[in-house]
Amino acid sequence: MRDSQTQIKGMFIGGNWVSSNTTFDDINPSTGAVWAQIPDGGRAEARDAINAAQAAFPAWAGLHFQDRARILLRAADVWEARKADFVAAAQAEGGGWFGKGMFEAGYVPEVFRAAAAMCYNAVGEMLPSQHGKVSMVERTPMGVISVISPWNMPGILTSRGFAFPLAAGNTIVLKPSEDTPYAGGLFFAEIMQEAGIPKGVFNVVTCSRERVGEMGDELVENPLVKGISFTGSTPVGRQIAAKAGAHLKKACVELGGKDSLIVLEDADMDRATSAASFGSFMHQGQICMSVEKVLVHESIYADFLRQFVARAAKLKTGDTADKANVIGPLINDRQVERVKFQIEDALAKGAKAVLGGRVWDRFVEPTILTNVTPDMAVWQDETFGPVAVVVPFSTDAEAIALNNDTEYGLSSGIITADENRALDMSRKLETGMCHVNCSSVNDEPHVPFGGSKASGVGKHGGKWSMETFTETRWITLDRGGRPFPPVF
């Protein structure tokens, strides 16, 4: 069955649209229908794209910075003109709610503009010299950067992965997820081509799940690739970081999370329950920063739970072609099985579902669990689905310990009227980010986005991306004729 006539031009290599001998089905997760036929590339196509990027690198790196900025600014304008096309793809291909698609569509142009702004920033500094030299530190582009992007936020996480390295003067080979190859990849090729990107500077290759290993290895191990930008699961991120390390390559890997929202006894209840509902159930909980643990002070636990359940019960689940359905499908059957297992494991070990728990097709209704204990998979493992556990605590120290009781350390949130108390707690949370009086789900294009522990290495966004995807070089000019030892 086919539910769209989406026209796929091919992979984008060296400024040309390239077909492949075989294709794979791009499935609408709401209906199970084929949304598009996508080129199924492999090692050869990845190598061709890398070679094209390498050939384009000297001219792109040598371009005046303002000319790179202008192309990125044009990309922002082109994207805005085609915003509706992205939203339609994000709904049908990614199973996202209309509002989520609109949020991404509005965010991506700001990524391009933030990256363009970085072109005007300082790229080095002057150092004092013990010998009267002119001593300079410069940041210079590295070369070809491989960008491997995920399916859950195909607009935001793809653009953030490549826009800043591109602004720095690197060239790009992008491989989007096989679950969102258009919204997270080929659509960007259309945008960048229309924006006037020189041939070979930006390339997109696609492959089926069966060929991910083959293409991924080439994107990491090819000697022309100087850095890797990866956003995805922790198990895959570990493999990529290990392979990159073996080749002494830079890798920025943004991985999974098991994030907490801590609700203190003086919290505004409406703010707390809305932060919990948004953080837990936005895009079916398929966000690395999603709230998976809601830690609530015991004195307000019962009241909070009652209001949280009432708020979440209003969310409608179903095909996101209907804008009223805020909770769409999980992206694929593997994710459904993962979430179903965690719910069933928890209930079998004594947890209680105070809301939801029902699973059908690829849909999981918003689920809130209580009586959760550390021996349950839902406590230890990333869920990546619309499931929240609500746990009481008695002291700030206990809340901090409950938050830190995981290998992950991405984001967190604290709801309280006492900012000083929250700041003190935030410094003890083992997370790369913390948001006071807001959800753990927070992002802006120019901030240092990333986690600690098993949630990743390196930071995406703003000057932190520029630091990750440039080389630091020390250059001196000897104007005083520093003498060498006479023996020489």
Side-chain angles (χ1 to χ4, degrees):
M1 185 172 64
R2 186 176 177 85
D3 68 353
S4 174
Q5 298 300 317
T6 304
Q7 296 301 311
I8 302 299
K9 297 179 181 180
M11 288 179 273
F12 192 63
I13 300 174
N16 300 309
W17 295 99
V18 178
S19 61
S20 63
N21 293 328
T22 57
T23 61
F24 67 95
D25 293 340
D26 187 5
I27 301 297
N28 179 328
S30 287
T31 65
V34 177
W35 186 73
Q37 294 284 335
I38 305 296
D40 192 5
R43 188 178 292 275
E45 288 81 4
R47 187 179 297 126
D48 289 345
I50 292 166
N51 289 337
Q54 178 64 29
F57 172 64
W60 179 249
L63 205 61
H64 290 306
F65 70 88
Q66 67 270 27
D67 294 326
R68 290 199 300 270
R70 288 188 186 109
I71 290 174
L72 287 161
L73 292 172
R74 280 202 296 273
D77 293 339
V78 172
W79 177 280
E80 286 190 330
R82 294 197 56 190
K83 184 165 61 174
D85 296 333
F86 173 80
V87 174
Q91 284 181 270
E93 183 186 52
W97 168 51
F98 174 78
K100 181 259 189 186
M102 287 295 291
F103 173 74
E104 277 203 88
Y107 189 107
V108 171
E110 296 308 306
V111 174
F112 287 133
R113 291 176 181 131
M118 293 309 301
C119 292
Y120 289 82
N121 278 19
V123 293
E125 53 190 310
M126 300 296 295
L127 299 181
S129 170
Q130 293 178 333
H131 307 287
K133 295 186 177 188
V134 176
S135 182
M136 302 176 289
V137 178
E138 292 186 350
R139 286 196 169 274
T140 57
M142 300 165 62
V144 179
I145 304 297
S146 294
V147 178
I148 303 172
S149 68
W151 50 262
N152 60 325
M153 288 281 177
I156 293 173
L157 299 182
T158 298
S159 60
R160 187 176 66 196
F162 78 78
F164 293 96
L166 196 66
N170 300 292
T171 53
I172 305 296
V173 179
L174 165 65
K175 189 206 83 65
S177 167
E178 66 275 12
D179 286 309
T180 52
Y182 182 72
L186 299 175
F187 182 72
F188 279 97
E190 295 175 10
I191 297 296
M192 298 309 293
Q193 184 181 44
E194 189 174 341
I197 197 82
K199 289 188 175 185
V201 171
F202 181 79
N203 307 271
V204 181
V205 291
T206 54
C207 69
S208 62
R209 182 171 178 81
E210 289 70 30
R211 301 187 76 181
V212 164
E214 169 191 347
M215 182 175 277
D217 284 349
E218 187 69 26
L219 291 173
V220 174
E221 296 177 350
N222 187 300
L224 296 179
V225 172
K226 303 304 181 187
I228 300 98
S229 170
F230 173 79
T231 305
S233 71
T234 293
V236 177
R238 288 186 198 275
Q239 295 176 21
I240 289 175
K243 288 181 179 179
H247 292 277
L248 301 179
K249 295 181 181 183
K250 283 188 177 181
C252 184
V253 292
E254 193 268 292
L255 309 176
K258 192 70 185 176
D259 299 339
S260 297
L261 180 72
I262 300 173
V263 183
L264 301 182
E265 67 273 19
D266 60 356
D268 178 281
M269 193 63 73
D270 186 67
R271 181 67 177 172
T273 55
S274 61
S277 182
F278 170 80
S280 300
F281 304 126
M282 170 67 168
H283 196 42
Q284 299 82 263
Q286 298 177 126
I287 303 173
C288 54
M289 302 172 282
S290 289
V291 173
E292 298 198 3
K293 300 176 182 176
V294 187
L295 311 177
V296 185
H297 193 274
E298 59 188 8
S299 65
I300 60 168
Y301 177 82
D303 193 28
F304 171 89
L305 184 62
R306 176 180 57 80
Q307 294 190 44
F308 180 31
V309 168
R311 186 182 287 273
K314 298 175 183 177
L315 298 171
K316 294 182 178 180
T317 304
D319 187 339
T320 53
D322 181 349
K323 294 180 182 179
N325 289 327
V326 176
I327 308 299
L330 299 192
I331 192 67
N332 55 43
D333 294 335
R334 298 185 308 280
Q335 289 296 123
V336 175
E337 286 304 312
R338 174 196 186 102
V339 175
K340 183 180 179 183
F341 167 76
Q342 288 195 10
I343 293 172
E344 291 177 348
D345 173 73
L347 295 177
K349 293 175 179 175
K352 180 182 178 183
V354 293
L355 180 71
R358 194 162 65 98
V359 180
W360 72 100
D361 298 330
R362 287 184 175 170
F363 297 97
V364 179
E365 61 187 350
T367 298
I368 298 174
L369 300 176
T370 59
N371 298 340
V372 171
T373 53
D375 63 319
M376 300 175 186
V378 75
W379 178 260
Q380 292 295 340
D381 300 334
E382 184 178 35
T383 303
F384 230 62
V387 180
V389 303
V390 186
V391 178
F393 67 86
S394 58
T395 66
D396 292 0
E398 183 184 1
I400 292 164
L402 289 169
N403 173 89
N404 293 346
D405 183 25
T406 171
E407 68 170 341
Y408 298 103
L410 187 56
S411 189
S412 54
I414 303 173
I415 310 295
T416 177
D418 189 340
E419 289 185 344
N420 287 332
R421 180 181 176 191
L423 281 173
D424 181 64
M425 292 180 70
S426 72
R427 295 185 176 109
K428 299 170 185 174
L429 300 177
E430 295 171 352
T431 59
M433 302 173 284
C434 182
H435 305 286
V436 177
N437 287 319
C438 204
S439 160
S440 59
V441 179
N442 265 276
D443 197 1
E444 294 183 38
H446 60 290
V447 304
F449 186 96
S452 59
K453 300 178 7 181
S455 289
V457 177
K459 304 292 181 183
H460 285 290
K463 69 177 184 179
W464 295 273
S465 282
M466 303 297 270
E467 291 171 358
T468 299
F469 294 109
T470 55
E471 296 286 4
T472 301
R473 289 180 176 160
W474 178 43
I475 300 171
T476 68
L477 304 176
D478 192 329
R479 292 173 173 172
R482 181 190 177 190
F484 300 107
V487 68
F488 293 101

